[in-house]
Amino acid sequence: MKTFILSDNLFVRRIDELTKEEVAAWDALLLQNDLRRAFMSYCYIKAVAETGGDVLVLALYDKGVPCAFLPLQRAAGVRGLVGIFEPVGDVMTDYFGLIGADGLTVDVARLLAATQGRINAVLFSHLDETQARFGLAGDETRPGLRTWLGTSLDQPASEYWVNLRKSDKKLVYDTERREKKLINEVGPLTFEWTSQNPASDMAWLVASKKAQYARTGKAEAPLFDSRKVALLNRLLQVQGENCQGVLSTLRCGEEMIAVHFGLRCHDMLHVWFPVYNPKYASYSPGRILFKHLFLAAAAEGIQVFDRGEGDTQAKRDFANETHT
């Protein structure tokens, strides 16, 4: 295993100062399975910077070739003034860590010291367990959940709902019963994997999510910050392989039932901002929306839905993998 030695091999750059070679290296490094996360992509980091994030990137070199990147965002207020940084995107970000070559390890204390006072500390969460291979670790563990649509050649992604019917008959039956009831009492359903009216549908999502936060007493929730809303709208325009905004909708006629905005990275869809119309809460619209997302996903090339940090019943309903 190679340990990175600091000297002339570290550059601290603003995101728009990265060279074309460095951006290409970042994109290539992100293809590793345990790093293939939209929140760690150059496109995502750039979108945060474009919507108000004060972003710096530690670019590490080995023998003249870029071999790792650690993107950071200056913390707000006094903390930022004394050189304290955080994950880019702060509370919006589901994954944080080093994007590095296989076999690389770093001494974090020496790495920060080498910035000569520009970055004195990093306050973080959402560091995936796989980052331990780079020498990065946290103090507290929290669970995360995923849904793999296909687990083998015998169980391809396109057969996820069929296989779930066998493994959790009660969940599937109840979801389909509520869907039929919704159709009978409200009207035919229309599902769009990619919204045909993204601006207005995103506005509906933001307004509905803010109303949900208000009902549940979350006055400090991220979407009350205009910069966070700007980030969602910016990411809605991003359509790269490493980071692609996906806005999906479920309607009965003209009536919106549920919406989800997530980020795609190759064959992974990060479940990010789902919200449903509380008027139809008795039908479990969130579950119905995910049924349609699962049914459409295989044709879109999606193999796994990542639910980020947290263990709730809504996330556990369809999960089949836990990570730390």
Side-chain angles (χ1 to χ4, degrees):
M1 183 174 287
K2 176 174 57 180
T3 300
F4 188 79
I5 300 172
L6 296 169
S7 57
D8 297 328
N9 294 325
L10 172 67
F11 297 88
V12 183
R13 305 197 194 282
R14 301 195 69 81
I15 189 74
D16 56 358
E17 294 174 338
L18 292 174
T19 67
K20 290 182 179 179
E21 178 190 21
E22 288 168 340
V23 173
W26 186 332
D27 287 341
L29 289 168
L30 201 74
L31 294 178
Q32 299 170 81
N33 284 336
D34 61 344
L35 299 180
R36 199 177 295 180
R37 310 288 183 260
F39 296 99
M40 296 171 68
S41 69
Y42 167 79
C43 286
Y44 176 79
I45 304 301
K46 187 169 184 286
V48 173
E50 290 171 344
T51 51
D54 187 356
V55 175
L56 292 180
V57 179
L58 305 188
L60 285 68
Y61 273 67
D62 182 44
K63 298 178 181 177
V65 177
C67 65
F69 301 89
L70 182 63
L72 299 168
Q73 173 178 288
R74 188 181 301 277
V78 175
R79 293 188 304 174
L81 294 177
V82 296
I84 296 177
F85 282 70
E86 62 192 8
V88 177
D90 189 19
V91 295
M92 298 286 276
T93 297
D94 281 358
Y95 281 91
F96 164 70
L98 190 77
I99 303 94
D102 192 34
L104 178 73
T105 59
V106 298
D107 182 321
V108 178
R110 290 184 60 222
L111 180 64
L112 297 187
T115 69
Q116 299 180 349
R118 295 185 71 180
I119 301 170
N120 293 320
V122 180
L123 304 179
F124 67 90
S125 63
H126 295 81
L127 182 78
D128 191 63
E129 59 190 350
T130 56
Q131 287 284 315
R133 69 181 175 95
F134 296 127
L136 277 65
D139 299 317
E140 177 187 346
T141 60
R142 299 175 184 173
L145 297 170
R146 295 191 182 111
T147 301
W148 285 90
L149 301 185
T151 56
S152 66
L153 291 176
D154 295 330
Q155 294 186 322
S158 58
E159 296 297 310
Y160 170 76
W161 196 255
V162 172
N163 291 321
L164 185 66
R165 189 188 304 278
K166 300 173 186 175
S167 62
D168 197 338
K169 183 178 180 180
K170 182 178 178 180
L171 176 64
V172 169
Y173 171 79
D174 188 63
T175 301
E176 292 181 341
R177 178 184 66 81
R178 291 170 187 267
E179 181 180 24
K180 290 175 183 176
K181 191 169 186 288
L182 176 64
I183 293 170
N184 290 334
E185 295 179 359
V186 182
L189 285 173
T190 301
F191 170 76
E192 292 178 346
W193 173 268
T194 303
S195 166
Q196 299 304 299
N197 299 285
S200 59
D201 289 345
M202 178 62 85
W204 189 94
L205 181 152
V206 171
S208 298
K209 203 68 180 174
K210 288 167 71 173
Q212 176 190 326
Y213 292 146
R215 288 194 305 272
T216 54
K218 298 178 180 177
E220 301 300 319
L223 295 190
F224 289 113
D225 182 339
S226 61
R227 290 173 301 176
K228 303 294 194 297
V229 176
L231 175 61
L232 292 192
N233 283 296
R234 177 69 188 88
L235 289 166
L236 190 56
Q237 310 303 316
V238 173
Q239 296 294 304
E241 286 191 346
N242 287 342
C243 183
Q244 180 183 46
V246 180
L247 181 64
S248 304
T249 64
L250 185 69
R251 284 182 169 87
C252 279
E254 297 299 315
E255 189 84 345
M256 188 71 81
I257 303 299
V259 182
H260 171 252
F261 181 62
L263 295 181
R264 176 177 184 166
C265 185
H266 296 271
D267 61 356
M268 175 181 284
L269 183 69
H270 295 280
V271 178
W272 206 18
F273 282 97
V275 66
Y276 63 83
N277 190 334
K279 178 179 176 182
Y280 302 103
S282 63
Y283 300 98
S284 295
R287 269 201 263 148
I288 298 171
L289 172 64
F290 273 93
K291 173 200 168 185
H292 285 269
L293 285 168
F294 293 144
L295 291 174
E300 298 292 336
I302 299 296
Q303 293 288 328
V304 58
F305 283 66
D306 190 291
R307 302 301 301 259
E309 181 212 307
D311 186 351
T312 65
Q313 186 56 52
K315 291 184 177 185
R316 190 160 285 280
D317 275 344
F318 300 112
N320 52 24
E321 180 185 83
T322 302
H323 64 109
T324 300

